[in-house]
Amino acid sequence: EVQLAESGGGLVQPGGSLRLSCAASGFALRSYGMNWVRRAPGKGLEWLAYISFGSTNIFYADSVKDRFTISRDNAENSLFLQMNSLRVEDTAVYYCARGPLWYFDYWGQGTLVTVSS
Amino acid sequence: QSVLTQPPSVSAAPGQKVTISCSGSSSNIGNNYVSWYHHLPGTAPKLLIYDNNKRPSGIPDRFSGSKSGTSATLGITGLQTGDEADYYCETWDSSLSVAVFGGGTKLTVL
């Protein structure tokens, strides 16, 4: 069974950093592109970043470019999101999702990031 | 404000049919595949339709997708109270080099 499990969320002050992890099981992570998506309170889904299976292609939403970094460790079946210079408006539930950019077929349950002083 | 436009809300009675529209442009829907998702806050979003009109395994045929030009439509027949959720369209925007979601449509089954 395909499963994705995010971790690493929590409360952080504005300007701080967090590193989210996504543990994949039930499939070979090395064969798939992966994404991060978030949903802020009262807002809709927002795609944030994509990394191809070999890490050769990486794309970011403008809202997080130059602040967030997506990476992966295929040997450890793990996906990461390094989030720096966090803002109040980054408060959201963050999801990892498997897929090629034009669809996301499996999602994790999400991890909550709260940016507040 | 998303580059993909969806109605904020739709509603219909149990057993009825509803459609949700998603309007874009030639740089996104017009030249790329569209997917659709069901989401209840606090849960994992679920893929309903991919590649414009294909259903993943386990998604009932009550759900259908279509695309024409720069617009896409999700159809749901035989509405159930359990279908109440937020629905999102998604595609790749070739000009912006980003994946984009519509603003979301809240479905109420009266």
Side-chain angles (χ1 to χ4, degrees), chain A residues 37 39 43-45 47 59-60 95 101-105 107-109, chain B residues 35 37 39 41 43-45 47 50-51 86 88 90 92 98-99 101:
Chain A
V37 178
R39 185 170 184 180
K43 300 282 186 68
L45 295 173
W47 171 85
F59 299 101
Y60 294 99
Y95 300 94
L101 279 166
W102 57 91
Y103 69 84
F104 313 120
D105 58 356
W107 299 65
Q109 291 294 319
Chain B
S35 56
Y37 303 84
H39 189 218
T43 69
L47 175 67
Y50 69 101
D51 290 359
D86 298 318
Y88 296 86
E90 186 271 337
W92 172 251
V98 295
F101 284 96

Coordinates of all heavy atoms in Angstrom, one line a residue, chain A residues 37 39 43-45 47 59-60 95 101-105 107-109, chain B residues 35 37 39 41 43-45 47 50-51 86 88 90 92 98-99 101:
Chain A
V37 N 2.6 20.6 -1.3 CA 1.4 21.4 -1.5 C 1.0 21.9 -0.1 O 1.1 21.1 0.9 CB 0.3 20.6 -2.2 CG1 -1.0 21.4 -2.3 CG2 0.7 20.1 -3.5
R39 N -2.2 24.1 2.4 CA -3.5 24.7 2.5 C -3.5 25.5 3.8 O -3.4 25.0 4.9 CB -4.6 23.7 2.5 CG -6.0 24.4 2.5 CD -7.1 23.5 2.3 NE -8.4 24.3 2.1 CZ -9.6 23.7 2.0 NH1 -9.7 22.4 1.9 NH2 -10.6 24.5 1.9
K43 N -8.1 29.2 3.1 CA -7.6 29.4 1.7 C -7.7 28.0 1.0 O -8.0 27.0 1.6 CB -6.2 29.8 1.7 CG -5.9 31.2 2.4 CD -6.4 32.3 1.5 CE -6.0 33.7 2.1 NZ -4.6 33.9 2.1
G44 N -7.4 28.0 -0.3 CA -7.4 26.8 -1.0 C -6.0 26.1 -1.1 O -5.1 26.5 -0.5
L45 N -6.0 25.0 -1.9 CA -4.7 24.3 -2.1 C -3.8 25.2 -2.9 O -4.2 25.8 -3.8 CB -5.0 23.0 -2.8 CG -5.8 21.9 -2.1 CD1 -6.1 20.8 -3.0 CD2 -5.1 21.5 -0.8
W47 N 0.1 24.8 -4.7 CA 1.3 24.0 -5.0 C 2.5 24.8 -4.7 O 2.5 26.0 -4.9 CB 1.2 23.6 -6.5 CG 2.5 23.0 -7.0 CD1 2.9 21.7 -6.9 CD2 3.6 23.7 -7.6 NE1 4.1 21.5 -7.4 CE2 4.6 22.7 -7.9 CE3 3.8 25.0 -8.0 CZ2 5.8 23.0 -8.5 CZ3 5.0 25.3 -8.6 CH2 6.0 24.3 -8.9
F59 N 11.1 22.8 -9.6 CA 10.3 24.0 -9.8 C 9.7 24.5 -8.5 O 9.4 23.7 -7.6 CB 9.2 23.7 -10.8 CG 9.6 23.3 -12.2 CD1 9.6 21.9 -12.5 CD2 10.0 24.2 -13.1 CE1 10.0 21.5 -13.8 CE2 10.4 23.8 -14.4 CZ 10.4 22.4 -14.7
Y60 N 9.5 25.8 -8.4 CA 9.0 26.4 -7.2 C 7.9 27.4 -7.6 O 7.9 28.1 -8.6 CB 10.0 27.2 -6.4 CG 11.1 26.3 -5.8 CD1 12.4 26.2 -6.4 CD2 10.9 25.6 -4.6 CE1 13.4 25.4 -5.9 CE2 11.9 24.8 -4.1 CZ 13.1 24.7 -4.7 OH 14.1 24.0 -4.2
Y95 N 1.4 19.3 2.8 CA 1.3 17.9 2.3 C 2.4 17.6 1.3 O 2.8 18.4 0.4 CB 0.0 17.8 1.5 CG -1.3 18.1 2.3 CD1 -1.9 19.3 2.3 CD2 -1.9 17.1 3.1 CE1 -3.0 19.6 3.0 CE2 -3.1 17.4 3.8 CZ -3.6 18.6 3.7 OH -4.8 18.9 4.4
L101 N 3.4 16.7 -11.8 CA 3.1 18.1 -11.9 C 1.7 18.3 -12.4 O 1.1 19.3 -12.0 CB 4.1 18.9 -12.8 CG 5.4 19.3 -12.2 CD1 6.4 19.7 -13.2 CD2 5.2 20.4 -11.2
W102 N 1.2 17.5 -13.3 CA -0.2 17.7 -13.8 C -1.2 16.8 -13.1 O -2.4 16.9 -13.4 CB -0.2 17.6 -15.3 CG 0.2 16.3 -15.9 CD1 -0.5 15.2 -16.2 CD2 1.6 16.0 -16.3 NE1 0.3 14.2 -16.7 CE2 1.6 14.7 -16.8 CE3 2.8 16.7 -16.2 CZ2 2.7 14.0 -17.2 CZ3 3.9 16.1 -16.7 CH2 3.9 14.7 -17.2
Y103 N -0.7 16.0 -12.2 CA -1.6 15.3 -11.3 C -0.8 14.8 -10.1 O 0.3 14.5 -10.2 CB -2.5 14.2 -11.9 CG -1.8 13.0 -12.4 CD1 -1.5 11.9 -11.5 CD2 -1.3 12.8 -13.7 CE1 -0.8 10.8 -11.9 CE2 -0.7 11.7 -14.1 CZ -0.4 10.7 -13.2 OH 0.2 9.5 -13.6
F104 N -1.6 14.6 -9.0 CA -0.9 14.1 -7.8 C -1.8 12.9 -7.3 O -2.9 13.1 -6.8 CB -0.9 15.2 -6.7 CG -0.4 16.5 -7.3 CD1 -1.1 17.7 -7.3 CD2 0.9 16.6 -7.9 CE1 -0.7 18.8 -7.8 CE2 1.4 17.8 -8.4 CZ 0.6 18.9 -8.4
D105 N -1.3 11.7 -7.4 CA -2.1 10.6 -7.1 C -2.1 10.1 -5.7 O -3.1 9.4 -5.3 CB -1.8 9.4 -8.1 CG -0.3 9.0 -8.0 OD1 0.5 9.6 -7.3 OD2 0.0 8.0 -8.7
W107 N -1.3 11.3 -1.5 CA -1.0 12.4 -0.6 C -0.8 11.9 0.8 O -1.4 10.9 1.2 CB -2.2 13.4 -0.6 CG -2.5 14.1 -1.9 CD1 -3.0 13.5 -3.0 CD2 -2.5 15.5 -2.2 NE1 -3.3 14.4 -4.0 CE2 -3.0 15.6 -3.5 CE3 -2.1 16.6 -1.5 CZ2 -3.1 16.9 -4.1 CZ3 -2.2 17.8 -2.1 CH2 -2.7 18.0 -3.4
G108 N 0.0 12.6 1.6 CA 0.1 12.4 3.0 C -1.1 13.0 3.7 O -1.9 13.7 3.1
Q109 N -1.1 12.8 5.0 CA -2.1 13.4 5.9 C -1.8 14.9 6.2 O -2.7 15.6 6.7 CB -2.3 12.6 7.1 CG -2.9 11.2 6.9 CD -4.3 11.3 6.4 OE1 -5.1 12.1 6.9 NE2 -4.7 10.4 5.5
Chain B
S35 N -6.4 17.9 -13.8 CA -6.8 16.9 -12.8 C -7.8 17.6 -11.8 O -7.9 18.8 -11.8 CB -5.6 16.4 -12.1 OG -4.8 17.4 -11.5
Y37 N -9.5 17.2 -7.7 CA -9.3 16.7 -6.3 C -10.5 17.1 -5.4 O -11.2 18.1 -5.6 CB -8.1 17.3 -5.7 CG -6.9 17.1 -6.6 CD1 -6.6 17.9 -7.6 CD2 -6.1 15.9 -6.3 CE1 -5.5 17.6 -8.5 CE2 -5.0 15.7 -7.2 CZ -4.7 16.5 -8.2 OH -3.7 16.2 -9.1
H39 N -11.3 17.5 -1.3 CA -10.6 17.8 -0.1 C -11.5 18.2 1.0 O -12.3 19.2 0.9 CB -9.5 18.8 -0.3 CG -8.6 18.9 0.9 ND1 -8.0 20.1 1.3 CD2 -8.1 18.0 1.7 CE1 -7.3 19.9 2.4 NE2 -7.3 18.6 2.7
P41 N -10.8 19.6 4.8 CA -9.7 20.1 5.7 C -9.5 19.0 6.9 O -10.4 18.5 7.4 CB -10.2 21.4 6.3 CG -11.1 21.9 5.2 CD -11.8 20.7 4.6
T43 N -7.9 16.2 6.3 CA -7.7 14.9 5.6 C -6.8 15.1 4.5 O -6.4 16.2 4.1 CB -9.0 14.3 5.1 OG1 -9.5 15.1 4.0 CG2 -10.1 14.3 6.3
A44 N -6.4 14.0 3.9 CA -5.5 14.0 2.7 C -6.4 14.3 1.5 O -7.4 13.7 1.3 CB -4.8 12.7 2.5
P45 N -6.0 15.3 0.6 CA -6.7 15.5 -0.7 C -6.8 14.1 -1.5 O -5.9 13.3 -1.3 CB -5.9 16.5 -1.4 CG -5.3 17.3 -0.3 CD -4.9 16.2 0.7
L47 N -7.3 12.4 -5.3 CA -7.4 12.5 -6.8 C -8.6 11.9 -7.3 O -8.9 10.7 -7.1 CB -6.1 11.9 -7.4 CG -6.1 11.9 -9.0 CD1 -6.0 13.3 -9.5 CD2 -4.9 11.0 -9.5
Y50 N -7.7 12.5 -13.6 CA -6.4 12.9 -14.1 C -6.4 12.8 -15.6 O -7.3 12.2 -16.2 CB -5.3 12.1 -13.5 CG -5.2 10.6 -13.9 CD1 -4.3 10.2 -14.9 CD2 -6.1 9.7 -13.4 CE1 -4.3 8.9 -15.3 CE2 -6.0 8.4 -13.8 CZ -5.1 8.0 -14.7 OH -5.1 6.7 -15.1
D51 N -5.5 13.5 -16.3 CA -5.4 13.5 -17.7 C -6.8 13.8 -18.3 O -7.2 13.2 -19.3 CB -4.9 12.2 -18.3 CG -3.4 11.9 -18.0 OD1 -2.8 12.8 -17.4 OD2 -2.9 10.8 -18.3
D86 N -14.6 20.4 -0.5 CA -14.0 21.3 -1.5 C -13.4 20.6 -2.7 O -12.7 19.6 -2.5 CB -13.0 22.2 -0.8 CG -13.5 23.0 0.4 OD1 -14.7 23.5 0.3 OD2 -12.9 23.0 1.5
Y88 N -11.2 20.9 -6.3 CA -10.1 21.7 -7.0 C -9.8 21.2 -8.3 O -9.6 19.9 -8.4 CB -8.9 21.8 -6.1 CG -9.1 22.5 -4.8 CD1 -9.5 21.8 -3.7 CD2 -8.8 23.8 -4.6 CE1 -9.7 22.4 -2.4 CE2 -9.0 24.5 -3.4 CZ -9.4 23.7 -2.3 OH -9.6 24.3 -1.1
E90 N -6.7 21.4 -11.3 CA -5.2 21.6 -11.3 C -4.6 21.3 -12.6 O -5.1 20.4 -13.3 CB -4.6 20.7 -10.2 CG -3.1 21.0 -10.0 CD -2.2 20.1 -10.9 OE1 -2.6 19.1 -11.4 OE2 -1.0 20.6 -11.1
W92 N -0.7 22.2 -15.2 CA 0.6 22.9 -15.3 C 0.4 24.1 -16.2 O -0.3 24.1 -17.2 CB 1.5 21.9 -16.0 CG 2.9 22.4 -16.3 CD1 3.4 22.7 -17.6 CD2 3.9 22.8 -15.4 NE1 4.7 23.1 -17.5 CE2 5.0 23.2 -16.2 CE3 4.1 22.8 -14.0 CZ2 6.2 23.7 -15.6 CZ3 5.3 23.2 -13.5 CH2 6.3 23.6 -14.2
V98 N 4.9 26.7 -13.4 CA 4.4 26.3 -12.1 C 3.1 25.4 -12.3 O 2.4 25.6 -13.3 CB 4.0 27.5 -11.3 CG1 5.2 28.4 -10.9 CG2 2.9 28.4 -11.9
A99 N 2.9 24.6 -11.3 CA 1.6 23.9 -11.2 C 0.6 24.9 -10.6 O 1.0 25.6 -9.7 CB 1.7 22.6 -10.4
F101 N -3.5 25.4 -9.0 CA -4.8 24.9 -8.5 C -5.8 26.0 -8.8 O -5.5 27.2 -8.7 CB -4.8 24.6 -7.1 CG -4.2 23.3 -6.7 CD1 -2.8 23.3 -6.3 CD2 -4.8 22.1 -6.8 CE1 -2.2 22.1 -5.9 CE2 -4.2 20.9 -6.4 CZ -2.9 20.9 -6.0

